[in-house]
Amino acid sequence: MEALAVFGGNPRVSTSSLQSASATSKRSWSGSLSYTHNLTLRTRHLSAFHGSSSLFSCSPTLSHAKRRARKIRPNIFLPHLIASMEDVEETYIMVKPDGVQRGLVGEIISRFEKKGFKLTGLKLFQCPKELAEEHYKDLQAKPFFPKLIQYITSGPVVCMAWEGVGVVASARKLIGATNPLQAEPGTIRGDLAVQTGRNVVHGSDSPENGKREVALWFKEGDLCHWTPVQQPWLRE
């Protein structure tokens, strides 16, 4: 009966019909396995497949729903999680001798403070020739290198270490192009400088150089690590 139900057979077949077929089989197949016993074995074999098996499932709607469920991937945007994954960088900012002589130190510091970056190191410093040459070593082959070293060592500079997410790229935008005539209005060089040789301020050009230059101009213990009270209003 179960076998017939599985394969969509006629459920009205009576037990007497099966018994009659069994008797006929016994007469026709003397000395061999009876039809009734054979049918019982097949029925037991088919009963191993549960009704919920997909092999005999007649519910395409459920199967389609399951396929759709597997394909659905929720788009979850968590800004605070992404922000926490961003790296906090450090950059070296230096007010050059012309900026110090012109009294622009406060103006330059103010721009970085207003942006929301954290000042971790600050000092007025007379740069020795050896340190200037090490700082600008990538420019040693340039014809203006001796003049550049003379300029940086001509008077005191203000050394600063700033910290924040994306501080290197943001500082470069705040400073402006190397040539003040090409710097956008609103940038430090665009507003305050005129010539490349007197462009007021220096800023690290990469996170790697930021770390190198901060370590070059500040000794261990010179930096102050602290938490601004406005930090929750700057970052999620």
Side-chain angles (χ1 to χ4, degrees):
M1 290 293 291
E2 185 177 354
L4 293 174
V6 169
F7 288 106
N10 186 1
R12 296 179 181 178
V13 177
S14 61
T15 308
S16 59
S17 299
L18 292 178
Q19 292 176 350
S20 176
S22 176
T24 304
S25 176
K26 287 181 180 180
R27 289 194 298 268
S28 303
W29 299 85
S30 58
S32 62
L33 185 65
S34 68
Y35 179 82
T36 303
H37 187 58
N38 190 17
L39 180 60
T40 302
L41 289 177
R42 291 185 181 181
T43 302
R44 289 177 180 174
H45 175 71
L46 291 173
S47 66
F49 295 95
H50 298 290
S52 61
S53 172
S54 60
L55 179 63
F56 299 101
S57 175
C58 297
S59 179
T61 304
L62 181 59
S63 177
H64 180 68
K66 287 182 178 179
R67 287 197 298 269
R68 285 178 55 85
R70 292 194 193 102
K71 292 180 181 178
I72 293 175
R73 294 293 184 272
N75 284 325
I76 300 176
F77 178 62
L78 301 175
H80 64 280
L81 182 60
I82 294 175
S84 66
M85 294 169 59
E86 294 177 317
D87 292 333
V88 175
E89 302 171 346
E90 58 181 348
T91 189
Y92 174 69
I93 304 297
M94 176 173 63
V95 182
K96 296 178 180 179
D98 56 320
V100 176
Q101 294 288 347
R102 292 175 56 195
L104 299 177
V105 176
E107 169 75 17
I108 294 171
I109 292 177
S110 176
R111 297 204 180 196
F112 286 92
E113 286 181 327
K114 289 177 181 178
K115 182 67 176 178
F117 296 126
K118 180 172 70 175
L119 181 64
T120 58
L122 175 66
K123 65 180 179 180
L124 183 68
F125 184 67
Q126 181 66 48
C127 178
K129 182 179 179 180
E130 295 77 13
L131 179 58
E133 290 175 343
E134 177 64 23
H135 177 81
Y136 289 110
K137 64 180 181 180
D138 293 339
L139 302 176
Q140 285 181 349
K142 302 293 183 179
F144 58 80
F145 182 74
K147 191 175 181 179
L148 175 61
I149 300 303
Q150 182 181 4
Y151 160 55
I152 292 298
T153 58
S154 62
V157 298
V158 172
C159 309
M160 294 181 285
W162 291 89
E163 186 179 280
V165 175
V167 67
V168 174
S170 290
R172 299 286 290 182
K173 291 180 180 180
L174 286 174
I175 291 170
T178 302
N179 185 348
L181 297 179
Q182 299 174 355
E184 294 292 331
T187 64
I188 294 173
R189 288 170 177 164
D191 290 348
L192 305 176
V194 176
Q195 290 185 331
T196 301
R198 296 292 184 269
N199 60 7
V200 178
V201 65
H202 161 83
S204 304
D205 59 5
S206 68
E208 293 75 21
N209 271 341
K211 292 181 180 180
R212 183 186 75 85
E213 292 174 359
V214 168
L216 187 65
W217 290 84
F218 289 93
K219 299 178 181 179
E220 186 177 357
D222 286 348
L223 300 180
C224 182
H225 300 285
W226 57 290
T227 302
V229 294
Q230 64 177 349
Q231 181 169 308
W233 304 106
L234 292 170
R235 296 177 57 196
E236 290 184 297

